[in-house]
Amino acid sequence: MTPRPGPVCAGASKPKPHSAAGPSAYASFSSYVRARGPVLLRTARSLTANPSDAEDLLQTALAKTFVAWERIEDHRALDGYVRRALVNTRTSQWRKRKVDEFACDDVPEPLGLPAPDPAEQQVLHDAMWRAVMKLPDRQRAMVVLRYYEDLSEAQTAEVLGVSVGTVKSAVSRALGKLREDPELAPVR
């Protein structure tokens, strides 16, 4: 067996000093966490949808609090400090999350709505025709030319030999009657 070489970096064999406080600070921090942990966990759960994420969030906020434990002068305000750490940590997580949207030249086709039931379409079609057939002859002719034949108001007026104003007013009255038809009530 060959002997192992020394550490690769010069500081690797030296023990690192604790970044937080000593044993008494650890004890006071531990008692704080035991006493206030459930309340702080409820706060973390209100910030996230997933209970596991809430536990992780609280753990991170408590780690930040422990690092600053000796710098916190008023230990009566610890809950506020931890809550602020929870909110700041959650905000940082939210800002850092990966966005799965990519800019592209072509807009993707929308998925669209499911096709309507052909039987329901036929029922609606039949009800509409029955309602149109109840209209007076002149109004029915104008509605058919305007909306089924897709003629303009001027074209409809020319076909029927009336003015454009007559077409507008007659079609308006006809649409009002169609809106009031009880057979078409489910459509509205």
Side-chain angles (χ1 to χ4, degrees):
M1 247 176 145
T2 60
R4 288 188 158 179
V8 176
C9 59
S13 60
K14 296 178 185 174
K16 295 181 180 178
H18 291 293
S19 58
S24 65
Y26 178 77
S28 68
F29 178 76
S30 295
S31 66
Y32 170 75
V33 171
R34 274 192 301 278
R36 301 300 296 161
V39 173
L40 296 171
L41 182 59
R42 279 196 302 271
T43 303
R45 283 189 178 155
S46 71
L47 295 172
T48 64
N50 184 339
S52 299
D53 291 342
E55 291 172 1
D56 292 344
L57 177 62
L58 179 59
Q59 186 72 24
T60 303
L62 288 173
K64 290 178 180 180
T65 303
F66 182 69
V67 169
W69 191 254
E70 287 185 336
R71 291 190 316 251
I72 300 171
E73 294 175 10
D74 186 6
H75 280 237
R76 293 173 296 177
L78 283 172
D79 282 358
Y81 185 91
V82 176
R83 284 189 183 103
R84 175 54 40 199
L86 284 167
V87 170
N88 290 346
T89 302
R90 181 65 183 141
T91 302
S92 296
Q93 290 171 348
W94 177 79
R95 286 180 179 157
K96 290 178 186 176
R97 79 174 193 267
K98 181 180 174 186
V99 177
D100 291 332
E101 294 180 16
F102 303 98
C104 61
D105 293 333
D106 298 327
V107 177
E109 292 296 322
L111 295 176
L113 299 173
D117 183 18
E120 289 179 14
Q121 283 184 317
Q122 187 61 45
V123 168
L124 176 61
H125 183 265
D126 292 344
M128 181 59 76
W129 268 115
R130 282 191 299 277
V132 168
M133 294 307 289
K134 293 178 194 174
L135 294 173
D137 292 339
R138 188 173 180 179
Q139 287 180 358
R140 181 174 56 241
M142 290 183 190
V143 167
V144 169
L145 290 173
R146 281 287 291 129
Y147 296 105
Y148 286 95
E149 297 297 323
D150 202 26
L151 297 181
S152 69
E153 291 168 341
Q155 292 169 326
T156 302
E158 185 180 329
V159 168
L160 295 175
V162 296
S163 71
V164 173
T166 302
V167 171
K168 288 181 179 182
S169 63
V171 167
S172 176
R173 282 191 304 274
L175 292 176
K177 289 179 183 178
L178 291 174
R179 282 188 200 101
E180 294 171 3
D181 192 299
E183 258 193 286
L184 298 177
V187 176
R188 285 178 246 147

